[in-house]
DNA sequence: GTCTATATTAAGATAGAC
DNA sequence: GTCTATCTTAATATAGAC
């Protein structure tokens, strides 16, 4: 096999170094804006060596994206039908905000892909993603019908959680530019603001 | 002058065609992901002719960005200190949402630039943008102090308006993928949802 | 002002030695 | 497995005729 799955320790290490470097580069410059030279340098490997581990630039990018959607949806999957509705939704908001804080590169990789028309993950958006969102929307609608939260459009509620939390990763430069040097930790402030927002929105 | 400001009708027309085509292409593929070939084809001009009107690819992109920030901030500027607070903020939300609906390409051009670290407009973000946001934050804080809206972090309130409204332009593909074929007009639904959200958040 | 032809560089990918 | 050297293509930009 020309481009093996990692078996030895050294293969494991190099494959990981490449993916780590590629995440850095792709998340900042997008697919077309990134070069193998940049990735090779960041991974401290030669360009041909990169292409020993992956058949192409596309393949590196695809590998990164493949794992991403699943991880990205975990917090939504964790929303518990048997829990207390407002608390469940707030917990989802908190987990998403933590992901923006702890995995901003992944968020930007995803944002770059969507922004450019999602050429590589459109199928997953229309399949896996839509299915999960539809399922959780039914749950949210039920909570509304039971009078445990107010009645809102469940899909747009979910969109709002995504946009509000991912903003702090994707538009990070703008957030810092506006808040300036003297800003307190943006994420702590953001959490307080978002908890207020969703509590007041949802509580009947 | 080698690269004239448009004077004749034909120059005017071609310059506009180029900028229009460039907005199409840059907003979809980002700066590095776009090629002069694509822009030339979209503008129905030859590539050398493009470079008769603009000295470089950079210059076309810069021209688009230059006008953008100003237009982008107009709705916030229009927030009236003498108006009724909740109504003023809702009006701002509506104007921003209309811009996402009517000028999605501009929104994505901006998003692409910020996402990639804002290399070309960082100064404007830290100057013009920060100043305006700081000014309006003082106004919002005063409204809170007067008990006319609840107390929230004004900067994060503004961030939330940006993220919630721009999401419908920038992540348009995802919104459509999730809502599916049968979706009602997303923007009409979004407006209802956002009015509910900000009314319930802000009303004391 | 517009075009054809072309110079120049950068980038993805491969060959082949070690 | 890793490297140097190189092939090939595509992209920005220019020269120069019309």
């Amino acid at each position: 096999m020309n481009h093996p799955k990692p078996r030895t320790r050294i293969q494991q290490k190099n494959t990981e170094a490449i993916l780590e470097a590629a995440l850095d580069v792709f998340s900042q410059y997008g697919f077309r804006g990134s070069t193998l030279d940049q990735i090779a340098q960041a991974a401290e490997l030669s360009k041909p060596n990169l292409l020993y581990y992956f058949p192409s630039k596309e393949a590196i990018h695809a590998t990164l994206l493949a794992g991403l959607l699943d991880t990205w949806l975990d917090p939504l999957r964790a929303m518990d039908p048997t829990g207390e509705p407002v608390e469940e939704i707030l917990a989802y908001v908190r987990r998403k905000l933590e992901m923006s804080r702890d995995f901003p590169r992944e968020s930007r990789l995803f944002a770059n892909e969507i922004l450019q028309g999602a050429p590589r993950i459109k199928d997953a958006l229309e399949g896996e993603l839509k299915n999960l969102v539809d399922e959780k929307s039914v749950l949210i609608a039920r909570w509304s019908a039971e009078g445990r939260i107010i009645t809102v459009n469940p899909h747009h509620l979910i969109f709002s959680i995504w946009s509000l939390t991912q903003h702090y990763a994707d538009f990070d430069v703008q957030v810092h530019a506006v808040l300036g040097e003297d800003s307190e930790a943006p994420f702590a402030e953001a959490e307080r603001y978002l908890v207020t927002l969703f509590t007041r929105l949802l509580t009947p």
Side-chain angles (χ1 to χ4, degrees), chain A:
Chain A
M1 201 194 312
N2 273 331
H3 299 282
K5 296 255 156 90
R7 295 182 192 290
T8 71
R9 267 175 301 280
I10 198 167
Q11 283 171 338
Q12 178 99 30
K13 189 173 137 293
N14 281 343
T15 305
E16 274 167 20
I18 292 168
L19 289 174
E20 173 68 19
L23 179 57
D24 257 11
V25 176
F26 282 138
S27 67
Q28 186 169 0
Y29 301 104
F31 180 73
R32 298 258 334 240
S34 303
T35 71
L36 288 178
D37 273 309
Q38 288 176 290
I39 298 170
Q41 187 165 8
E44 299 186 298
L45 288 169
S46 70
K47 195 161 49 163
N49 206 6
L50 228 66
L51 294 167
Y52 171 79
Y53 287 100
F54 291 90
S56 67
K57 180 185 174 183
E58 269 281 345
I60 303 175
H61 193 252
T63 303
L64 285 175
L65 276 184
L68 189 53
L69 193 70
D70 241 40
T71 320
W72 224 234
L73 290 181
D74 276 343
L76 181 54
R77 281 200 198 88
M79 201 161 82
D80 181 0
T82 67
E84 202 282 305
V86 175
E87 271 316 309
E88 284 300 318
I89 293 168
L90 285 180
Y92 178 44
V93 171
R94 284 199 194 89
R95 281 192 299 268
K96 281 290 287 174
L97 191 61
E98 280 161 18
M99 290 182 77
S100 281
R101 185 192 59 200
D102 299 338
F103 306 104
R105 296 176 304 173
E106 283 81 350
S107 187
R108 284 193 280 261
L109 183 74
F110 191 72
N112 260 307
E113 175 68 11
I114 304 287
L115 195 51
Q116 310 200 356
R120 290 162 254 263
I121 56 166
K122 204 160 191 183
D123 289 352
L125 297 185
E126 289 168 349
E128 204 184 340
L129 175 69
K130 177 173 166 44
N131 289 340
L132 179 62
V133 172
D134 283 346
E135 178 199 320
K136 295 301 182 183
S137 292
V138 171
L139 173 60
I140 291 167
R142 212 187 62 214
W143 283 339
S144 291
E146 295 170 354
R148 304 173 74 191
I149 58 172
I150 71 147
T151 299
V152 287
N153 184 305
H155 285 99
H156 289 266
L157 172 60
I158 292 171
F159 292 154
S160 70
I161 295 171
W162 292 346
S163 65
L164 287 166
T165 55
Q166 290 173 12
H167 186 82
Y168 291 96
D170 302 343
F171 285 67
D172 153 79
V173 186
Q174 182 174 249
V175 168
H176 280 91
V178 168
L179 293 181
E181 296 301 321
D182 53 305
S183 70
E184 292 174 56
F187 281 99
E189 282 292 336
E191 193 195 329
R192 258 170 281 167
Y193 174 74
L194 293 182
V195 167
T196 303
L197 187 155
F198 282 107
T199 304
R200 290 184 60 96
L201 169 64
L202 295 170
T203 307

